[in-house]
Amino acid sequence: MALRKIREIGDEVLTKRCKEVPKMSLRTKLLINDMLDTMYQAAGVGLAAPQVGVLKRIAVIDVGDGPIVLINPEIIETDGEQTGEEGCLSVPGKYGIVTRPNYVKVKTLTEDMEETVIEGEELFARALCHEIAHLDGKLYIELAQDGLHDVEDEKE
Ligand code: NI
């Protein structure tokens, strides 16, 4: 298991547009494995490559149904709306209220570089939108309706 340092808000790498992955390499496989380890260690439901300082269009998600690896993902369809709490491992201790589509369809490559289509609803749809936005250098905070709240406040 290899953990990578999670970059936090204020780090420029989180604001940059990532490059497409042209082919699978050992280096990229190791990156994906490290991203999964890092996400699970931090108890997150998703992690995008720029969050570990790598400007490649790769993200991992696990909303409780097992790991999903996205390579060069693209949202091709959305439907409905959901409004709820959203947080990010790069913005520790905070959350915001964000409206996202309730359903998304994503075209992506698998770890074997095979094209596939993934559909998600509710939390999975939210995670897909959130992680894909990271690949364009966007954080959820831009979408937070009434700013950021401390996770602590929620518990009071
Ligand atoms: Ni995030």
Side-chain angles (χ1 to χ4, degrees):
M1 176 155 121
L3 299 178
R4 303 221 183 180
K5 183 180 176 327
I6 297 178
R7 305 301 185 94
E8 294 184 0
I9 186 165
D11 191 320
E12 268 207 347
V13 77
L14 295 172
T15 65
K16 305 222 159 119
R17 206 183 136 78
C18 297
K19 290 201 178 94
E20 298 242 320
V21 178
K23 60 175 174 50
M24 189 47 59
S25 63
L26 180 58
R27 194 184 166 92
T28 301
K29 275 187 184 159
L30 291 172
L31 168 68
I32 291 167
N33 286 341
D34 289 355
M35 284 173 62
L36 285 166
D37 289 345
T38 304
M39 174 182 74
Y40 287 125
Q41 171 76 20
V45 297
L47 189 71
Q51 292 183 275
V52 293
V54 179
L55 290 170
K56 287 181 179 171
R57 302 189 78 80
I58 299 172
V60 295
I61 292 175
D62 189 340
V63 293
D65 301 322
I68 305 276
V69 176
L70 305 169
I71 298 172
N72 304 338
E74 215 182 305
I75 294 173
I76 54 173
E77 203 180 309
T78 66
D79 192 32
E81 211 177 82
Q82 58 173 320
T83 299
E85 291 177 6
E86 194 164 316
C88 178
L89 293 175
S90 293
V91 191
K94 303 280 182 186
Y95 74 94
I97 304 298
V98 178
T99 298
R100 300 280 193 185
N102 195 52
Y103 164 89
V104 298
K105 189 188 268 191
V106 172
K107 189 176 85 173
T108 184
L109 299 176
T110 66
E111 244 180 302
D112 302 319
M113 298 301 274
E114 279 166 11
E115 201 173 294
T116 187
V117 171
I118 292 174
E119 292 176 290
E121 287 185 331
E122 299 175 10
L123 178 60
F124 187 31
R126 180 178 293 282
L128 286 164
C129 293
H130 179 114
E131 299 313 327
I132 292 171
H134 269 299
L135 306 181
D136 291 321
K138 296 200 168 90
L139 298 179
Y140 80 93
I141 56 173
E142 299 171 27
L143 302 172
Q145 283 162 19
D146 55 352
L148 296 188
H149 309 283
D150 291 331
V151 170
E152 293 293 313
D153 294 347
E154 201 183 9
K155 291 173 193 156
E156 284 169 10

